Amino acid sequence: MMLYNEEPEISEDVERALRKIVPATVFFISNLARIVDISKLAIGDDEEDFFVPIPSHDLHEVSQRVADLEFEVQERFSVGIRVLPIPMKV
């Protein structure tokens, strides 16, 4: 295995985007952990960044809390992160 000590060259646009996306994602996930079990978090598809299963009887409350968090991240970081709660039978 070869190791390199050089920084990868990335464009200024990518660097600027990473400076916004990384803190926004950390903030989002840490606050999402207060709402749902993030150990079950899965990568989403084209429209959603993440999926998370939740008990079906909690769908309304969890969906509202997730929407509030998504809005807060958008307002604070100007980054859109979306998670779709998937209702599951308990």
Side-chain angles (χ1 to χ4, degrees):
M1 178 168 78
M2 297 173 64
L3 298 174
Y4 298 96
N5 291 330
E6 291 184 35
E7 291 283 325
E9 290 186 32
I10 57 175
S11 74
E12 289 180 26
D13 291 338
V14 171
E15 186 177 340
R16 214 173 11 256
L18 286 174
R19 274 187 262 140
K20 289 174 71 173
I21 291 171
V22 170
T25 303
V26 169
F27 177 85
F28 184 81
I29 297 296
S30 66
N31 283 283
L32 184 64
R34 297 176 184 157
I35 301 171
V36 299
D37 177 7
I38 61 169
S39 69
K40 307 271 193 263
L41 202 62
I43 299 298
D45 57 16
D46 292 337
E47 295 179 17
E48 308 293 337
D49 296 306
F50 301 102
F51 296 133
V52 65
I54 59 158
S56 57
H57 63 277
D58 292 338
L59 180 61
H60 180 71
E61 180 185 345
V62 169
S63 294
Q64 184 59 51
R65 292 179 67 193
V66 167
D68 291 343
L69 178 58
E70 290 171 348
F71 181 77
E72 184 176 358
V73 170
Q74 178 66 46
E75 290 295 306
R76 184 180 286 202
F77 298 97
S78 298
V79 172
I81 301 176
R82 297 197 25 111
V83 64
L84 179 63
I86 306 292
M88 306 297 274
K89 286 186 176 182
V90 184

